[in-house]
Amino acid sequence: MSLKSERRGIHVDQSELLCKKGCGYYGNPAWQGFCSKCWREEYHKARQKQIQEDWELAERLQREEEEAFASSQSSQGAQSLTFSKFEEKKTNEKTRKVTTVKKFFSASSRVGSKKVPPERVEKIMDQIEKYIMTRLYKYVFCPETTDDEKKDLAIQKRIRALRWVTPQMLCVPVNEDVPEVSDMVVKAITDIIEMDSKRVPRDKLACITKCSKHIFNAIKVTKNEPASADDFLPTLIYIVLKGNPPRLQSNIQYITRFCNPSRLMTGEDGYYFTNLCCAVAFIEKLDAQSLNLSQEDFDRYMSGQTSPRKQEAESWSPDACLGVKQMYKNLDLLSQLNERQERIMNEAKKLEKDLIDWTDGIAREVQDIVEKYPLEIKPPNQPLAAIDSENVENDKLPPPLQPQVYAG
């Protein structure tokens, strides 16, 4: 089911099922049978539940440590926690990805002798988060104990393989032919890429928020009306595919682990972050059915054998940007050159194989003839020696006869 058919609620294929939540829209297999709206809600609920459980676990661990410390101070003979219990706590802490940093943001740390305005508390917490995470960044970002790096490589490879996906396939309501919209798309891509250069979770969230606002503005300019949430998610997916942000999974996990939970569970920052997680999950499960393509075309596009047909020059609007037209023309020429090069390489490999086979065949025929008619090479004849060459007693022979002439 495509995003377009999902948004409009149009029945495209009788074999497809409705949204599992029963909202009346059609579900998408890439979203586990939910429609985009219901899937975002379910994903947000699950993430909020996970964050709440991590928060409660951090508070429980802190209380246990405080109780253990108080017990050791009250009694000199009291023993500390056993090694097995300590290992159990560390295992639970690692499993839930809870770090000591979260203890600074627990409820008990906010209780003081005097009441502090909530705005000031949030500001102080932001400053503490900035100070701590700046110093610990190289130790807690993409640690060796996790598989974040492996996930980064997998999603990067996946996005690179999906570089052929066009805005029309995702039903993106953005017209990049308009210069203003094209600039906003570039800014959105720049913001999502810039996220990796930030060290503080709040700053990384700010990059996601700026990227999302540029997307909403681009949709608004294109449609001449305020953008909806159903328009935003496909466009965000397109921006992620086009930008291929570095270390995307590591940044998402870093924000999840160390950002102030209240910031992720409420407000626009949390909403945009949840949509980014949904976009990444959609990309990981993207298939032919999600793009309304046949499996054969999808496999050919993924393997790089061919690419979707570019927009023809005749279909451009009169006010389209000349630079964009030239770019698509150059891309079309490069695609044609690439196809020609592939054909030449295939023919060259075939010719090389034919030459090798011909050489091997000639060698086999010569070998068969040599084995059938072996060549015998005789040694050269010895030169004839003089008659008296072996006579060592030449001095004892009589002199040769001399002709005699008689007078007659």
Side-chain angles (χ1 to χ4, degrees):
M1 173 66 66
S2 67
L3 296 174
K4 182 176 181 182
S5 59
E6 176 195 309
R7 291 201 308 272
R8 295 183 178 179
I10 301 175
H11 187 73
V12 176
D13 190 346
Q14 296 294 335
S15 63
E16 294 177 345
L17 300 177
L18 292 173
C19 174
K20 290 166 57 176
K21 201 171 182 179
C23 64
Y25 287 85
Y26 287 95
N28 193 311
W31 290 333
Q32 301 177 356
F34 292 100
C35 66
S36 61
K37 182 179 179 181
C38 295
W39 191 53
R40 281 197 302 269
E41 294 176 355
E42 294 295 326
Y43 191 91
H44 188 59
K45 290 179 181 179
R47 183 167 291 276
Q48 285 185 335
K49 182 179 178 182
Q50 181 67 39
I51 293 174
Q52 185 65 29
E53 291 178 355
D54 291 346
W55 183 283
E56 294 175 356
L57 180 60
E59 291 182 345
R60 181 171 61 83
L61 292 175
Q62 184 179 6
R63 287 196 301 270
E64 291 180 359
E65 291 182 0
E66 291 175 353
E67 293 173 359
F69 179 77
S71 176
S72 63
Q73 292 294 326
S74 61
S75 176
Q76 296 294 334
Q79 296 182 352
S80 60
L81 295 175
T82 62
F83 181 76
S84 60
K85 188 173 182 180
F86 174 77
E87 285 295 321
E88 180 182 357
K89 288 170 58 181
K90 295 300 291 183
T91 303
N92 293 335
E93 184 177 354
K94 180 179 179 182
T95 304
R96 290 293 187 178
K97 301 177 180 178
V98 178
T99 60
T100 311
V101 179
K102 286 190 175 181
K103 297 175 185 177
F104 288 94
F105 309 110
S106 61
S108 59
S109 64
R110 304 182 190 181
V111 180
S113 58
K114 53 189 295 185
K115 294 184 178 180
V116 182
E119 296 80 7
R120 188 176 180 184
V121 172
E122 289 295 327
K123 186 175 181 181
I124 294 174
M125 291 177 63
D126 290 341
Q127 294 299 323
I128 294 175
E129 177 187 287
K130 181 177 181 181
Y131 176 80
I132 295 176
M133 300 315 301
T134 301
R135 290 181 172 271
L136 298 180
Y137 183 77
K138 63 180 180 180
Y139 302 105
V140 297
F141 182 84
C142 190
E144 296 180 356
T145 55
T146 64
D147 58 348
D148 293 348
E149 184 176 3
K150 183 179 179 180
K151 292 180 179 179
D152 287 335
L153 297 175
I155 191 64
Q156 189 177 45
K157 183 178 179 181
R158 175 70 172 174
I159 293 176
R160 193 177 295 124
L162 292 169
R163 65 186 182 277
W164 49 268
V165 176
T166 62
Q168 293 75 20
M169 293 179 180
L170 294 172
C171 302
V172 176
V174 169
N175 184 11
E176 294 186 71
D177 299 337
V178 180
E180 184 180 359
V181 175
S182 179
D183 292 340
M184 292 178 183
V185 170
V186 172
K187 290 179 181 179
I189 294 175
T190 302
D191 289 333
I192 197 69
I193 293 176
E194 188 181 0
M195 174 180 61
D196 186 61
S197 63
K198 305 298 182 181
R199 294 196 169 203
V200 183
R202 178 167 53 92
D203 295 341
K204 291 182 180 292
L205 272 180
C207 291
I208 299 174
T209 302
K210 289 192 296 183
C211 169
S212 301
K213 289 183 177 180
H214 286 309
I215 291 175
F216 272 107
N217 291 333
I219 298 174
K220 182 178 179 181
V221 172
T222 301
K223 300 180 66 175
N224 292 323
E225 62 181 18
S228 64
D230 291 333
D231 293 330
F232 169 69
L233 182 57
T235 311
L236 179 60
I237 294 172
Y238 173 68
I239 293 296
V240 173
L241 289 175
K242 196 170 182 179
N244 196 0
R247 300 191 292 185
L248 182 57
Q249 286 287 5
S250 291
N251 282 287
I252 291 177
Q253 294 300 326
Y254 178 77
I255 294 173
T256 304
R257 294 166 186 162
F258 302 109
C259 188
N260 186 354
S262 62
R263 192 181 299 276
L264 293 181
M265 297 173 65
T266 58
E268 62 178 3
D269 290 342
Y271 172 76
Y272 294 141
F273 179 71
T274 301
N275 275 271
L276 177 62
C277 297
C278 293
V280 174
F282 180 84
I283 292 173
E284 291 176 340
K285 300 178 181 179
L286 187 63
D287 56 8
Q289 188 178 9
S290 303
L291 300 175
N292 277 341
L293 295 175
S294 65
Q295 190 63 42
E296 182 181 358
D297 289 340
F298 183 81
D299 294 339
R300 288 194 298 117
Y301 294 157
M302 290 294 291
S303 62
Q305 296 178 2
T306 184
S307 58
R309 191 166 178 261
K310 302 294 188 303
Q311 187 174 8
E312 297 294 341
E314 293 78 6
S315 61
W316 290 101
S317 59
D319 57 344
C321 177
L322 295 177
V324 175
K325 290 182 180 180
Q326 186 63 38
M327 181 187 68
Y328 275 99
K329 182 179 179 181
N330 294 339
L331 289 175
D332 189 36
L333 291 175
L334 288 175
S335 178
Q336 294 177 12
L337 289 175
N338 185 42
E339 293 177 359
R340 289 177 58 186
Q341 183 181 10
E342 289 181 355
R343 288 197 300 268
I344 293 174
M345 291 299 297
N346 293 333
E347 293 295 333
K349 290 180 180 179
K350 182 180 178 182
L351 178 60
E352 181 182 9
K353 184 177 181 299
D354 292 342
L355 289 174
I356 294 175
D357 294 341
W358 179 78
T359 304
D360 294 341
I362 295 296
R364 286 193 299 268
E365 291 180 4
V366 172
Q367 185 65 27
D368 294 340
I369 293 174
V370 170
E371 292 177 356
K372 187 175 181 180
Y373 305 102
L375 181 62
E376 296 181 0
I377 301 177
K378 298 181 179 180
N381 296 329
Q382 296 293 334
L384 297 177
I387 297 177
D388 298 333
S389 61
E390 298 179 357
N391 192 349
V392 297
E393 299 179 353
N394 288 338
D395 55 341
K396 298 180 179 180
L397 291 176
L401 298 175
Q402 297 294 331
Q404 296 178 3
V405 180
Y406 297 93

